[in-house]
Amino acid sequence: MTGRKRQSAEERKPAILRAFHQVIEAEGFENASVAKVARRAGVHPSLLIHYFGTKEKMVMALVDEVLETYALLFAKLPEGGDPHERLERLLTLLWSLEWHEAVNFSVVFSFLALSQRHDSLMERVRNLYGRYRVYLLEQMDLLSKAGAIHVSDPTASAEALISLCEGSHYFCRYHIEAGTFDAHCRHMIQAARLILGVG
Amino acid sequence: MTGRKRQSAEERKPAILRAFHQVIEAEGFENASVAKVARRAGVHPSLLIHYFGTKEKMVMALVDEVLETYALLFAKLPEGGDPHERLERLLTLLWSLEWHEAVNFSVVFSFLALSQRHDSLMERVRNLYGRYRVYLLEQMDLLSKAGAIHVSDPTASAEALISLCEGSHYFCRYHIEAGTFDAHCRHMIQAARLILGVG
DNA sequence: GTATTAATTAAACATTCATTTAATAAGAGA
DNA sequence: TCTCTTATTAAATGAATGTTTAATTAATAC
């Protein structure tokens, strides 16, 4: 009748979340109703409730996916190899198009807003950034001992790197000219080098 | 009957926007309905429509206020005086509690999400950051000539400062420990000095 | 004190909201 | 083929959505 095939839960649930993501992108989190998501997924609204229980749980399922995207991103951070080369790979990855486009800003901004009044979400985001910070501290220790960087206060440098990186990716669209993203990344890498004492 | 006094439009409209802001803070932008805002303002829902026309226009009125808050913040940036002292005042202001708490993060994150699909809002935010950038470039030129800083690429340094500042304020809550905001600010000021060649 | 203007509410509107309950349909295993 | 499970829809729910229209109330101007 609908022209849609019967699918398993393992196929349908991700498809619904994909539709949810698209609706948020197109119309905003505040306008992403169950009915609209269902329509985009080509499915009856009650099927979403059947799979997720409530809309809130569906939101949290999408949050899980977005957080997982970040976790996968962090998993790409370089671990071994020559210190100088590793530093180079780290900076190049942090300011790559891949890193920049990993998530949708409309979705992430909405979830960051949500985290302000959703304790467990806040805790999960903090946990993610905590791992980020630990990674940077470890690397700075290694790179420091190898003489690849020169930092006096690793904690301060880690905070600065995270701030520079997040500020750059989330806000550059508000102050750089169109078509200058590559140059912006070079600028940020240079600033990162100054912070790491290798300017 | 309601116990509320009759007020002029000049008093009522800001009061309604204040209530709107509070509802977003407490329940999120996606749950801030006209009825809830009216209830918090102690007023009938149709009064909001009478004053603002539509909910969307009411949203834009609140956006105006938030953007104005930022504009007033920028107006506090130091202009004259001794270069070294001015640099000191600039960094101290950028990483002050006043700067940090000037806006509500739940509200701003929601509006940043909105800007992704609202062209005129995007343009207005870009305009704001453009002025921020111009200010920094002007100051860097002056400070540079006075020997207070040493930057080779002012554009790159301005982008780095903005990124560091925004990334710090919007994301520090996700990676610093409670009660370490002051230390974090000191770290950021030190990083800013490195970027400005006065480390 | 009356007329006028502006603030405010009341009531009703169609629409959309998330969700429930029950029915249907399809595939899997026996 | 029959049974059982699971995917899917249909239909109905009451509440909440934003908005309109008309009525009411209070202050202002004359």
Side-chain angles (χ1 to χ4, degrees):
Chain A
M1 185 180 293
T2 60
R4 280 288 176 147
K5 293 207 201 107
R6 181 192 178 90
Q7 293 184 336
S8 71
E10 281 77 33
E11 301 170 289
R12 196 60 98 184
K13 288 174 75 170
I16 291 171
L17 290 182
R18 231 173 298 130
F20 191 16
H21 194 279
Q22 287 169 4
V23 173
I24 296 176
E25 231 175 308
E27 308 190 41
F29 186 52
E30 69 277 19
N31 296 314
S33 68
V34 172
K36 283 179 186 168
V37 174
R39 200 173 312 131
R40 188 172 291 244
V43 123
H44 197 275
S46 55
L47 190 62
L48 312 206
I49 301 297
H50 172 248
Y51 277 133
F52 297 101
T54 66
K55 186 190 179 182
E56 202 200 329
K57 286 180 187 169
M58 187 172 76
V59 171
M60 285 306 141
L62 185 58
V63 165
D64 288 348
E65 271 206 349
V66 172
L67 291 180
E68 180 61 17
T69 302
Y70 276 99
L72 291 175
L73 219 53
F74 288 176
K76 295 192 172 189
L77 292 168
E79 286 286 349
D82 170 70
H84 288 86
E85 188 206 333
R86 191 162 75 247
L87 173 60
E88 198 60 29
R89 275 190 287 140
L90 170 59
L91 296 178
T92 307
L93 178 63
L94 286 184
W95 282 285
S96 63
L97 196 60
E98 177 194 9
W99 201 269
H100 186 70
E101 294 178 336
V103 293
N104 176 269
F105 292 93
S106 206
V107 173
V108 171
F109 278 135
S110 296
F111 286 174
L112 289 176
L114 181 57
S115 75
Q116 303 300 309
R117 70 201 140 82
H118 194 297
D119 291 351
S120 81
L121 174 54
M122 169 60 82
E123 213 37 58
R124 293 179 65 187
V125 179
R126 280 185 58 85
N127 181 54
L128 205 60
Y129 277 96
R131 284 160 54 194
Y132 189 8
R133 183 192 179 106
V134 164
Y135 166 84
L136 288 178
L137 285 173
E138 284 171 357
Q139 290 301 315
M140 291 201 310
D141 184 51
L142 293 171
L143 293 172
S144 212
K145 281 171 180 162
I149 64 173
H150 307 89
V151 299
S152 60
D153 185 344
T155 294
S157 300
E159 287 179 9
L161 271 192
I162 295 176
S163 297
L164 187 71
C165 187
E166 298 306 286
S168 161
H169 285 294
Y170 285 98
F171 290 89
C172 75
R173 61 187 44 203
Y174 296 116
H175 62 92
I176 73 169
E177 300 295 321
T180 63
F181 179 72
D182 285 354
H184 175 71
C185 285
R186 285 195 301 273
H187 298 159
M188 294 306 105
I189 288 173
Q190 180 53 24
R193 285 212 170 89
L194 290 172
I195 289 169
L196 292 172
V198 287
Chain B
M1 185 181 294
T2 58
R4 280 288 175 145
K5 292 205 201 108
R6 181 189 180 91
Q7 293 185 335
S8 71
E10 282 75 35
E11 303 170 288
R12 195 61 98 183
K13 287 174 76 169
I16 291 171
L17 290 182
R18 232 174 298 128
F20 191 15
H21 194 279
Q22 288 169 2
V23 174
I24 295 176
E25 231 175 307
E27 307 191 41
F29 186 52
E30 70 275 18
N31 297 315
S33 67
V34 172
K36 282 180 186 167
V37 174
R39 199 173 312 132
R40 187 171 293 243
V43 123
H44 197 273
S46 55
L47 190 61
L48 312 206
I49 301 297
H50 172 247
Y51 278 132
F52 297 100
T54 64
K55 186 190 178 182
E56 202 200 330
K57 287 180 186 168
M58 187 172 77
V59 170
M60 285 307 139
L62 185 57
V63 165
D64 289 348
E65 272 206 349
V66 171
L67 291 180
E68 180 61 17
T69 303
Y70 276 99
L72 291 175
L73 219 52
F74 289 175
K76 296 193 172 186
L77 291 168
E79 286 286 348
D82 170 68
H84 288 87
E85 189 206 332
R86 191 162 75 248
L87 174 59
E88 198 59 30
R89 274 189 290 139
L90 170 60
L91 296 178
T92 307
L93 179 62
L94 287 184
W95 281 285
S96 63
L97 195 60
E98 178 194 9
W99 202 269
H100 186 70
E101 292 177 337
V103 293
N104 176 269
F105 291 93
S106 207
V107 173
V108 171
F109 277 135
S110 295
F111 287 175
L112 290 176
L114 182 57
S115 75
Q116 303 298 308
R117 69 201 142 80
H118 194 296
D119 291 352
S120 81
L121 174 54
M122 168 61 80
E123 213 38 57
R124 295 177 66 188
V125 179
R126 279 186 59 86
N127 180 55
L128 205 61
Y129 277 97
R131 285 159 53 193
Y132 188 9
R133 184 194 177 104
V134 164
Y135 167 84
L136 288 179
L137 285 172
E138 285 171 356
Q139 290 303 314
M140 290 201 310
D141 184 51
L142 292 171
L143 294 172
S144 213
K145 280 169 179 161
I149 64 172
H150 307 90
V151 298
S152 58
D153 185 345
T155 295
S157 299
E159 288 179 9
L161 271 192
I162 295 176
S163 297
L164 186 71
C165 188
E166 299 306 284
S168 161
H169 285 295
Y170 286 97
F171 290 90
C172 75
R173 61 187 42 201
Y174 296 116
H175 61 93
I176 72 170
E177 299 296 320
T180 63
F181 179 73
D182 286 353
H184 175 72
C185 285
R186 285 196 301 274
H187 299 158
M188 294 304 105
I189 289 174
Q190 179 54 25
R193 288 212 168 90
L194 290 172
I195 288 169
L196 292 172
V198 287

